Amino acid sequence: MRNGKSESEDPTGDFTRIDQMLPKKKGQKPKHRAREIEGALDWMRNNDVSPDDEEFIDEFEKLGSIPMTRRSPEDRKNETDDIMNWLRNGKSDSEDPTGDFTRIDQMLPKKKGQKPKSRARDIEGALDWMRSNGVSPADVDDTTSLFDTVPSVQISRRTPEGRKNDVDAVMNWMRSGKSDSEDPTGDFTKIDQMLPKKKGQKPKERAREIEGALDWMRNKGVQPSGDE
C-alpha cells in the first residue's frame, strides 16, 4: 500500500482483488485497511476459498460481512497487554488511537472490585467477538443495544495467556513425536486425529488449529474424550 499498490509487491494479485471487493471506509488509515485485507485473506484460506474462484464473489456477497478474526493466541495476548497499558495510563487517547477500547469499555457493564487485568480481558474478549461477527465498535450508534440483543458475548473462558500456554504445550507435544507424556489427557491426540490434515501446514499452524478446536469444545462443554 505504501508503494502505491505496486504489482511487484502483489505477485498473486490477491491483495488487489480483496481491496477492490472490500467496502472503503471514510478516513480509514492504511494500517487498518491492511488488517481488513489480511483478515479477509485469512478467512478465505481457512475456508479453502481463493480470490481466483469464479464463485468467490457470489459467496462473498451472500455473507454480507466476513468474520475478520481467527486471531492467534499471541495476537490476542498482545492486544490484552495494549488494553492494560491503556488502563494504566488513565485511558489515554494516545494508547487508543482507534477509540475502540473506550467504546467497548463504555458498553460493558462494570463489575464491582474488578481488577484491571480482568477488565482488559473482558474488553479484548468483546472486541474479538465483534470482529468475529463482522461488527465494528465505530459503527455502533446505540452502544447499549448491541449487547442487549446478544444473550451473551462469547468471550473465551480461557485467558489469552492460558491459550498461548496451550499452543506452546501442543507444540512441545508435536516436537516430542507426539509423546503420551506430553499429552496426559490424550486430548491433543484426539483432536489431531479429528482435524483434517493440510498439505504443507507448518507445526505452529497445526498447533493453533488443535488449540482452537480445544478452546471451542471447552466453551461448548464438549469433551474430546466423550463417547456420545
Side-chain angles (χ1 to χ4, degrees), residues 27-143:
Q28 188 175 37
K29 294 180 181 179
K31 190 171 184 178
H32 296 160
R33 185 66 177 174
R35 284 176 181 164
E36 282 197 343
I37 293 170
E38 188 278 331
L41 277 169
D42 185 61
W43 179 88
M44 285 189 285
R45 290 176 185 131
N46 285 324
N47 288 275
D48 296 321
V49 177
S50 167
D52 293 322
D53 294 343
E54 291 182 4
E55 297 177 1
F56 172 70
I57 295 177
D58 290 337
E59 291 299 316
F60 188 92
E61 289 175 349
K62 284 177 193 173
L63 284 168
S65 62
I66 289 179
M68 288 298 178
T69 98
R70 285 207 180 178
R71 306 190 78 210
S72 70
E74 294 91 333
D75 288 338
R76 296 194 61 187
K77 181 182 183 301
N78 289 339
E79 184 157 61
T80 302
D81 291 342
D82 288 343
I83 296 169
M84 278 290 291
N85 290 333
W86 171 71
L87 289 167
R88 285 180 183 136
N89 291 324
K91 303 183 180 181
S92 166
D93 290 344
S94 63
E95 298 287 336
D96 180 24
T98 64
D100 287 349
F101 299 165
T102 301
R103 292 184 189 97
I104 298 297
D105 185 45
Q106 292 170 347
M107 292 179 202
L108 290 175
K110 305 290 189 291
K111 296 177 184 177
K112 189 175 180 180
Q114 188 175 34
K115 295 181 179 178
K117 192 164 190 178
S118 174
R119 185 67 180 174
R121 286 170 180 164
D122 276 359
I123 293 170
E124 187 281 329
L127 273 170
D128 188 67
W129 177 88
M130 294 177 80
R131 292 182 182 121
S132 295
N133 287 274
V135 179
S136 169
D139 295 336
V140 179
D141 294 323
D142 183 359
T143 57

Side-chain angles (χ1 to χ4, degrees), residues 5-7 10 13-21 37:
K5 302 181 182 179
S6 167
E7 290 182 5
D10 180 23
D14 288 350
F15 299 161
T16 301
R17 292 185 191 95
I18 298 298
D19 184 47
Q20 290 170 345
M21 291 175 193
I37 293 170

Side-chain angles (χ1 to χ4, degrees), residues 177-214:
K178 302 183 178 179
S179 165
D180 290 344
S181 63
E182 297 290 335
D183 181 23
T185 63
D187 288 349
F188 299 164
T189 301
K190 294 183 185 85
I191 298 296
D192 186 44
Q193 291 170 346
M194 290 178 198
L195 292 175
K197 304 290 190 293
K198 293 180 182 177
K199 189 176 180 181
Q201 188 175 36
K202 295 180 180 179
K204 192 161 190 177
E205 291 171 356
R206 185 66 178 176
R208 285 174 177 164
E209 280 198 346
I210 293 170
E211 185 281 329
L214 274 170

